[in-house]
Amino acid sequence: MSNPLSRAETFGLLALSAACVGIIANTFQGDGEPLIASLAFSGIAFAFTFSLIRWLGDTFMAAGLKGRDMSKVRKVEIPETMGAVCAVVYLLTIIVFIPFPFYKDIVAATSGGGNRDVVVELQQVETGRFLHRFPHSKLASYLSAILSLQSVVILGIGDDLFDIRWRHKLFIPAFASIPMLVVYFVDFGVTRVVVPVPLQKYLGELLDLGWLYYAYMAAIAIFCPNSINILAGINGIEVSQSLVIAILLLVNDALYLAPFSRYPHPAMDSHLFSIYLLLPFIGVSFALWWHNWYPAKVFVGDTYCYFAGMVFAVVGILGHFSKTLLLLFIPQIFNFIYSSPQLFRLIPCPRHRLPRFNARTGLLEPSVTQWQHPPAKSVAKLLRLLHHLCLLRVEENRNGEIVESTNFTILNLWLVWSGPMREDRLAMGILAMQTLCGLLGLFVRHKLALWVFSQDNREFVLGQ
């Protein structure tokens, strides 16, 4: 992939970077303005990621990190594992950003800032010159998020390098989530959930789940990275679905800020924390999307899937809106449930289940599993039922025995419904569904939830 930056691209990226640096420098004229600074850092992250993908392509290929695009007539080799570049730039960005959310506290509340020339009494010195006012819990949450993300990036790179088996890597994101779960336990520790109104006369208004709540959060940390990794196989789909989810999460976060929220909402800081992590993620992901969309010039690798999923798990858990997060993962949840028969080996599962490319037509068709022996009667009944429900396509021989069935992925199912289509059209169809399901999820969360809960937490009023 010898494709250096063009003159127009170089000028545009330099101009973007210079403008963002100027914005960041200007934020110090006031109170730090972390939201504006985060937006500027996202622009810089985009420029760096875009440039590094171009510059490092040949280096990755020379190191053996390359693959062939099997859904093209000319199956040329292109760089793989470019999600690692994206993840490293993101981690560096949020590390450099650390002082900005706490700029006001550093200046006003610590001995390293505005208290340098203040004469204090001995009692105040013993307590650390107002250090007790510094939001240590917020800093701990931010640092634990970085630790969890670094851990899962190491997993992703290891998977790309050594092709780790599913049964070995499935639960590793749970270990990566330990830092943020420990911080959640120490600084927040809430394990109670609001009970729907119809059930409150049996269970009360709040139900304490105890350790089950931590198991639930660990399950989210496992599900989010793996669900994006499962819904993959065509150009641009991994990055695009992640961008859609991230943008919808930003919309949800914005609902808790002015002018959408009429009061200084108690959850405002949690949603600002989410925004600080999501904006740079969108920046680096958009740069990767530019090169990975059809026809792909690079592959993202498993690193990006784990990294993206853990970003969502972190903001959902530490931002205290994990249930809202799951509403934005409806297609991924459906794809996991639909894929379960093959994932758990109830039905034969080939190594790769991506749609099959027809070189004669240039279109994608559903990939299939060949049955060397007729399936058991119970399995055959299930396959025929799914076939009649238009959730699968099976082929039978003259004896009425099933000899072929389409693979259990949402990409193949879409092709069963719509017929053969070009790769980019399939991706756009899935993304349209992802967007509509996400908007429906937000509507359910903030409107229809009032049917079973007494109020939406956006309507919280101070003093009540």
Side-chain angles (χ1 to χ4, degrees), residues 149-462:
L149 290 168
Q150 286 176 334
S151 301
V152 85
V153 168
I154 293 173
L155 160 67
I157 294 175
D159 189 17
D160 282 326
L161 291 176
F162 305 112
D163 196 16
I164 304 173
R165 292 181 178 274
W166 268 101
R167 62 176 178 269
H168 296 149
K169 66 186 179 182
L170 181 62
F171 296 101
I172 296 181
F175 294 100
S177 69
I178 289 176
M180 64 175 172
L181 293 181
V182 170
V183 169
Y184 183 93
F185 173 78
V186 173
D187 289 330
F188 197 67
V190 174
T191 57
R192 295 176 297 174
V193 296
V194 178
V195 177
V197 174
L199 299 177
Q200 287 183 1
K201 59 182 179 180
Y202 306 107
L203 302 174
E205 293 185 4
L206 298 174
L207 177 64
D208 191 356
L209 297 179
W211 65 270
L212 290 175
Y213 195 81
Y214 291 95
Y216 157 73
M217 291 189 290
I220 289 178
I222 294 172
F223 173 76
C224 290
N226 285 294
S227 66
I228 292 178
N229 198 26
I230 293 173
L231 183 48
I234 60 175
N235 291 173
I237 193 65
E238 299 97 329
V239 187
S240 298
Q241 64 178 301
S242 300
L243 280 170
V244 170
I245 294 171
I247 291 171
L248 290 171
L249 284 173
L250 276 183
V251 171
N252 180 68
D253 291 330
L255 295 176
Y256 293 83
L257 308 178
F260 303 103
S261 181
R262 299 173 59 185
Y263 303 93
H265 199 281
M268 182 180 69
D269 286 341
S270 296
H271 287 278
L272 283 173
F273 169 86
S274 171
I275 292 174
Y276 298 154
L277 294 181
L278 288 173
L279 285 176
F281 174 77
I282 291 175
V284 298
S285 295
F286 187 61
L288 184 60
W289 175 88
W290 191 281
H291 296 87
N292 182 240
W293 185 253
Y294 178 89
K297 303 175 185 65
V298 301
F299 291 136
V300 301
D302 290 335
T303 303
Y304 180 83
C305 299
Y306 291 115
F307 152 66
M310 187 56 78
V311 169
F312 299 140
V314 165
V315 298
I317 292 172
L318 295 180
H320 312 301
F321 54 87
S322 57
K323 294 183 290 295
T324 304
L325 174 67
L326 291 179
L327 288 174
L328 303 183
F329 269 77
I330 293 175
Q332 285 73 21
I333 294 172
F334 173 82
N335 187 53
F336 172 75
I337 296 173
Y338 181 65
S339 300
S340 294
Q342 287 189 311
L343 294 178
F344 295 105
R345 304 294 178 176
L346 301 176
I347 290 174
C349 182
R351 173 64 175 165
H352 296 290
R353 301 182 298 159
L354 65 159
R356 179 177 58 192
F357 177 69
N358 188 325
R360 184 176 58 83
T361 61
L363 303 177
L364 293 181
E365 301 173 351
S367 62
V368 299
T369 295
Q370 302 286 345
W371 291 86
Q372 302 299 327
H373 304 283
K377 291 184 178 180
S378 58
V379 174
K381 288 181 179 179
L382 173 63
L383 294 177
R384 290 190 177 95
L385 174 63
L386 293 174
H387 176 77
H388 290 306
L389 295 174
C390 297
L391 294 175
L392 196 70
R393 191 171 66 206
V394 300
E395 297 289 340
E396 298 180 347
N397 60 18
R398 294 179 179 178
N399 299 324
E401 299 172 335
I402 295 177
V403 295
E404 183 180 281
S405 61
T406 54
N407 284 314
F408 288 72
T409 72
I410 198 171
L411 296 177
N412 288 308
L413 179 59
W414 195 274
L415 292 171
V416 169
W417 288 343
S418 305
M421 62 175 58
R422 209 171 70 178
E423 188 172 2
D424 57 335
R425 294 186 179 275
L426 173 59
M428 287 188 286
I430 297 295
L431 295 178
M433 177 189 63
Q434 180 85 55
T435 303
L436 291 176
C437 288
L439 292 173
L440 176 62
L442 291 180
F443 178 76
V444 169
R445 172 64 185 84
H446 296 293
K447 295 298 180 182
L448 298 187
L450 295 175
W451 290 0
V452 291
F453 294 101
S454 57
Q455 66 177 19
D456 179 9
N457 62 3
R458 287 183 56 238
E459 299 174 355
F460 184 93
V461 181
L462 292 178

